[in-house]
Amino acid sequence: MRYYVLDRGDQHSMDLSQQFHRLAQEKNFKLDAESPEIVVSIGGDGTMLHAFHTFIDRLSDIAFVGVHTGHLGFYADWRADELEELIHLMSQSGSEGPLKPRIVKYPLIELEIHKKSGNASFIALNEFTLKGVDGTVVAQVDINDVTFEMFRGDGICVSTPSGTTAYNKALGGAMVHPTIEALQLTEIASINNRVYRTLGSPLLLPKHHHCDIFSRKDQRLLLTVDHLNFPVDDLISVRCQVSSHKVSFARYRPFPFWDRVRIAFLN
Ligand code: NAP
């Protein structure tokens, strides 16, 4: 079993990371920063975002596992005191082990950013946002190459299904089960009056649809992809669609999505 561990950097997470290495050594796991089969994130959902972007070029070869050292996370669903059990199950299910973990695959969003100074592409695990830095954002939203609306307001958020429990939720978006291959577009404080109008409701686009957001004035914007921030002052457009890539999580025991939603937000 080739593994790698990323931790949040706080003392508790770093201690747990050391404990993981000790236990892993006893099971003859091989620490491999270049080509791990399993990447263990120790901290919170934010730590998993870092782990995801660290191994973004190897998504098809890696399964992620999350341990939380704070509250239950959506990507980080193992408790700190369950580390031994986790390692035991991992050792049973390595390439030579008798068991295989269930691999669940979650949809991602693909972004193509077009700027006057060049183009860039990204993949998001949670969401992409476009926000104004010093004033109202003016942006045209097209769906499948047809103009849908002219947006004025603080910004726009485009979420993956697993990201719907994060920023999207704070914007009034629906929570979407990650087996549904879709992206959700939510508005951040749109201006709606007799002159300016947007739909005002979150939109769910299926896998085969795409949406383009065109910058419609000279404006300083902040683009975010998960925890990453990019100030941009020459944006032309951003194309958002469900990615052809998925992220894999190794499930060594069942933990249904709706249980995580209930425990995280209600219990
Ligand atoms: P952060 O400020 O440390 O994280 C914000 C919170 O979002 C943390 O409590 C984090 O959980 C939680 N989170 C991350 N992914 C989640 C998910 N899929 N479902 C539920 N909660 C989730 O910032 P960060 O660590 O750089 O993370 C960036 C993320 O923060 C963004 O992707 C965005 O979704 C989220 N965010 C949320 C809001 C909001 O809700 N108003 C505003 C801005 C950004 P942990 O404590 O377990 O790490």
Side-chain angles (χ1 to χ4, degrees), residues 32-167:
D32 186 339
E34 299 304 318
S35 56
E37 296 158 86
I38 299 283
V39 170
V40 181
S41 146
I42 301 182
D45 285 336
T47 320
M48 184 61 82
L49 296 177
H50 281 83
F52 171 82
H53 284 278
T54 303
F55 288 99
I56 194 112
D57 295 329
R58 301 205 58 251
L59 288 184
S60 53
D61 304 321
I62 287 177
F64 293 89
V65 176
V67 179
H68 62 89
T69 49
H71 54 95
L72 170 72
F74 282 86
Y75 306 121
D77 50 12
W78 284 87
R79 290 197 315 266
D81 61 4
E82 294 174 320
L83 213 56
E84 283 191 32
E85 184 189 343
L86 171 62
I87 299 230
H88 172 70
L89 291 170
M90 283 172 73
S91 70
Q92 297 279 296
S93 60
S95 30
E96 290 104 46
L99 303 172
K100 286 273 164 280
R102 190 173 151 245
I103 301 291
V104 296
K105 290 179 184 278
Y106 285 1
L108 302 165
I109 301 174
E110 210 161 272
L111 304 154
E112 285 167 35
I113 298 176
H114 302 286
K115 296 178 295 176
K116 288 175 191 155
S117 55
N119 301 331
S121 43
F122 292 95
I123 292 183
L125 172 58
N126 265 357
E127 77 284 290
F128 159 74
T129 72
L130 177 149
K131 296 189 234 186
V133 172
D134 44 15
T136 300
V137 172
V138 182
Q140 177 185 320
V141 178
D142 287 13
I143 296 177
N144 299 336
D145 305 314
V146 176
T147 301
F148 187 75
E149 64 183 12
M150 189 64 80
F151 176 90
R152 283 178 177 78
D154 283 0
I156 292 172
C157 172
V158 181
S159 176
T160 64
S162 59
T164 57
T165 50
Y167 198 3

Side-chain angles (χ1 to χ4, degrees), residues 204-259:
L204 211 57
L205 299 192
K207 187 176 176 163
H208 55 288
H209 288 193
H210 61 266
C211 97
D212 294 290
I213 303 169
F214 295 91
S215 174
R216 280 297 180 238
K217 71 171 191 191
D218 284 337
Q219 50 193 339
R220 289 202 301 151
L221 299 166
L222 184 68
L223 307 187
T224 73
V225 178
D226 300 333
H227 59 293
L228 306 167
N229 293 291
F230 307 96
V232 171
D233 59 8
D234 62 348
L235 183 75
I236 300 170
S237 66
V238 183
R239 173 162 291 199
C240 313
Q241 60 196 342
V242 176
S243 175
S244 53
H245 301 284
K246 286 192 172 185
V247 60
S248 301
F249 293 97
R251 291 265 183 264
Y252 295 97
R253 62 174 179 199
F255 201 158
F257 178 76
W258 297 120
D259 284 2

